[in-house]
Amino acid sequence: MDVTRVLFVCLGNICRSPLAEAHFVAHTEKLGTAHLFVCDSAGTSNNHSGERPDRRTLNNAASHGLEITHSARQVQRDDFYNFDLLVAMDQENLSHLERMKPADTAARLLLLRDLDETDPGADVPDPWYGDEHLFEEVFHLLHRCTLRLHEHLYQETTNT
Ligand code: 4NP
């Protein structure tokens, strides 16, 4: 079976996308599918490149027993060749990726919540200016949506 390479993308790569990546990897480890996926995350901006995730994201994830090992980086042109799927956290991230995507790549772009039965097409809210309740909400939202994404991609992998 082919490996599916998934890049999670937000603006700063210090709150939402590294958490989405950590959730997705945790799902694959729990469900025994880690050999089927390669995951990373990146930001459309380079404002936080090289930084560890936001302290509030790290603390919130740790309170749920989830470790995030990522350091921030900006999306590169090569990512559109090195990943099969780029998963945007919000509509602005998706628009940025659409503008940046080279014409000759087969990489697919997806808004994470397009697969969300609760509120399809909605943004994953940016918790940067929010309080701890928003970080908690984003944690559970990303847990649910990355599980749905995993189910979707696993079905695709096993049906081909
Ligand atoms: P993220 O959150 O895109 O989920 O990593 C943000 C992080 C930093 C900023 C905005 C959003 N910022 O304006 O610096």
Side-chain angles (χ1 to χ4, degrees):
M1 256 182 278
D2 283 346
V3 166
T4 303
R5 301 162 299 174
V6 185
L7 184 69
F8 295 92
V9 177
C10 62
L11 174 62
N13 194 214
I14 54 170
C15 295
R16 293 165 293 174
S17 61
L19 180 59
E21 177 196 354
H23 270 306
F24 191 92
V25 169
H27 295 321
T28 66
E29 287 169 356
K30 194 168 169 193
L31 297 167
T33 60
H35 60 293
L36 295 176
F37 297 98
V38 169
C39 300
D40 195 5
S41 64
T44 57
S45 89
N46 69 355
N47 291 350
H48 298 275
S49 290
E51 293 177 20
R52 295 276 295 132
D54 186 282
R55 174 58 45 197
R56 297 163 295 176
T57 294
L58 286 174
N59 287 347
N60 178 266
S63 77
H64 293 285
L66 185 67
E67 192 191 357
I68 309 178
T69 55
H70 187 74
S71 293
R73 71 173 183 87
Q74 190 174 23
V75 181
Q76 310 284 323
R77 185 182 160 84
D78 278 357
D79 289 321
F80 292 88
Y81 300 97
N82 294 335
F83 289 89
D84 302 300
L85 180 66
L86 286 79
V87 183
M89 297 298 111
D90 65 30
Q91 191 61 53
E92 197 179 303
N93 310 146
L94 183 64
S95 301
H96 187 109
L97 294 175
E98 283 168 348
R99 288 194 301 275
M100 200 181 163
K101 183 181 163 181
D104 66 343
T105 164
R108 292 182 290 156
L109 306 182
L110 176 75
L111 185 70
L112 179 63
R113 293 190 75 184
D114 273 351
L115 298 174
D116 186 8
E117 277 130 28
T118 306
D119 197 356
D123 289 345
V124 177
D126 183 348
W128 174 256
Y129 293 109
D131 62 12
E132 65 192 56
H133 298 291
L134 187 54
F135 280 84
E136 181 72 6
E137 183 185 323
V138 166
F139 181 91
H140 293 290
L141 179 62
L142 288 177
H143 181 276
R144 182 179 85 232
C145 293
T146 54
L147 190 57
R148 178 76 192 94
L149 176 66
H150 176 274
E151 180 187 28
H152 177 78
L153 295 178
Y154 182 69
Q155 278 171 5
E156 268 188 4
T157 308
T158 50
N159 284 341
T160 53

